[in-house]
Amino acid sequence: MKTVIALDLGTTGNRAIAFSKDGKILASAYEEFTQHFPKPAWVEHDPIEIWNTSKSVLEKVAHQVGVENIESIGITNQRETTILWNKTTGQPVYNAIVWQCRRTSDYCNSLSDHHALIKSKTGLFLDPYFSATKIKWILDNAPNTKPLIENNELLFGTVDTWILWKLTKGKAHLTDPSNASRTMLYNIHTHTFDPELLTLFEIPNDILPSVKPSQGEFGTIDNSILGKEIPITAMIGDQQSALFSQ
């Protein structure tokens, strides 16, 4: 039976579900990953563990339904969580900073004069919840980020982008509007990452993913992962995908 797989990248674990064309669940797998709390109100994940559990649940479901029956895969994810990595080695430069993390509260307070500008461009309040100040923190605190930027070797992504990049073996560095709009860098009027906000947060445009419609062509899973190239045809944030499904 032909099937599509939803890969749900959550805050505490990752799940893959195979659906038939009429919406029946044919198989599922779930694995939790570790929550790290290095300081009070700081929350981190290991990006490699996120990837390994994602790959594992995909493999389990593919084994249950037969990889030859999988027609496409869609990705839905926890939003705002921030990962920066070396695109040459594929290694993160720091742990993922999770959406709940409040480490950039003081930095947000220092930018309070800009809250109206940020709200007008992004629709968001100035808050540590969103990705922009997390990116800034990693750029300022992780070692060797400046040489990586100078050599065009540093990439940023929310969890959807990170897993897509890993699934495609680095061929696709993409996101969708439901995730881009939660970075606090995305202008919801022009539908682009905003140069003025990038300057404000001191974030280079070159590290950002390209933004594509939530339903579309996001590349194919590399043959080495499941033994078959499978198209990835959707990426969307968890709350938006839940709303759409209802």
Side-chain angles (χ1 to χ4, degrees):
M1 182 180 292
K2 296 301 181 183
T3 182
V4 295
I5 292 181
L7 181 59
D8 181 6
L9 308 170
T11 302
T12 57
N14 293 321
R15 186 187 309 273
I17 306 177
F19 293 92
S20 65
K21 290 297 185 68
D22 57 358
K24 293 179 181 177
I25 294 176
L26 302 177
S28 67
Y30 176 77
E31 292 186 18
E32 291 189 348
F33 50 77
T34 310
Q35 309 294 305
H36 299 275
F37 306 98
K39 293 183 181 181
W42 288 33
V43 191
E44 298 179 359
H45 294 154
D46 178 354
I48 299 299
E49 189 179 9
I50 293 174
W51 161 239
N52 286 337
T53 52
S54 301
K55 183 171 179 284
S56 178
V57 295
L58 268 179
E59 289 171 341
K60 288 176 180 178
V61 167
H63 178 73
Q64 291 178 68
V65 300
V67 69
E68 70 278 2
N69 294 316
I70 302 171
E71 291 195 341
S72 64
I73 289 178
I75 295 172
T76 184
N77 62 290
Q78 54 158 318
R79 303 164 302 157
E80 299 96 15
T81 295
T82 297
I83 303 167
L84 274 74
W85 67 94
N86 182 324
K87 73 178 182 183
T88 301
T89 66
Q91 292 298 307
V93 300
Y94 189 80
N95 271 350
I97 301 182
V98 183
W99 56 269
Q100 306 114 304
C101 187
R102 306 300 294 177
R103 75 184 65 192
T104 60
S105 294
D106 289 343
Y107 178 53
C108 285
N109 291 337
S110 75
L111 297 175
S112 59
D113 290 347
H114 302 280
H115 72 91
L117 172 73
I118 292 167
K119 182 71 162 58
S120 68
K121 287 176 177 283
T122 68
L124 305 175
F125 294 103
L126 174 61
D127 194 90
Y129 189 98
F130 307 109
S131 306
T133 61
K134 303 178 195 297
I135 299 171
K136 170 66 171 168
W137 191 94
I138 294 175
L139 291 176
D140 287 347
N141 290 275
N144 301 318
T145 57
K146 289 182 180 178
L148 289 175
I149 291 170
E150 290 169 359
N151 293 323
N152 194 30
E153 289 184 315
L154 189 67
L155 297 177
F156 153 75
T158 43
V159 175
D160 58 315
T161 301
W162 163 244
I163 294 301
L164 177 71
W165 192 87
K166 296 291 284 184
L167 287 171
T168 62
K169 290 293 180 95
K171 293 177 183 174
H173 183 225
L174 304 168
T175 191
D176 86 303
S178 70
N179 283 288
S181 64
R182 305 296 285 181
T183 61
M184 210 159 62
L185 298 170
Y186 187 73
N187 189 313
I188 58 175
H189 309 289
T190 64
H191 306 289
T192 58
F193 289 113
D194 190 89
E196 188 175 8
L197 295 178
L198 292 173
T199 299
L200 174 65
F201 291 107
E202 301 179 60
I203 294 171
N205 182 68
D206 289 347
I207 73 172
L208 302 174
S210 298
V211 182
K212 297 189 67 172
S214 304
Q215 183 178 1
E217 297 180 2
F218 287 90
T220 57
I221 294 181
D222 190 81
N223 184 65
S224 64
I225 294 172
L226 294 177
K228 174 188 175 185
E229 289 188 353
I230 300 169
I232 301 162
T233 56
M235 291 211 308
I236 187 168
D238 52 7
Q239 292 181 343
Q240 285 86 354
S241 63
L243 177 64
F244 181 79
S245 70
Q246 296 301 320

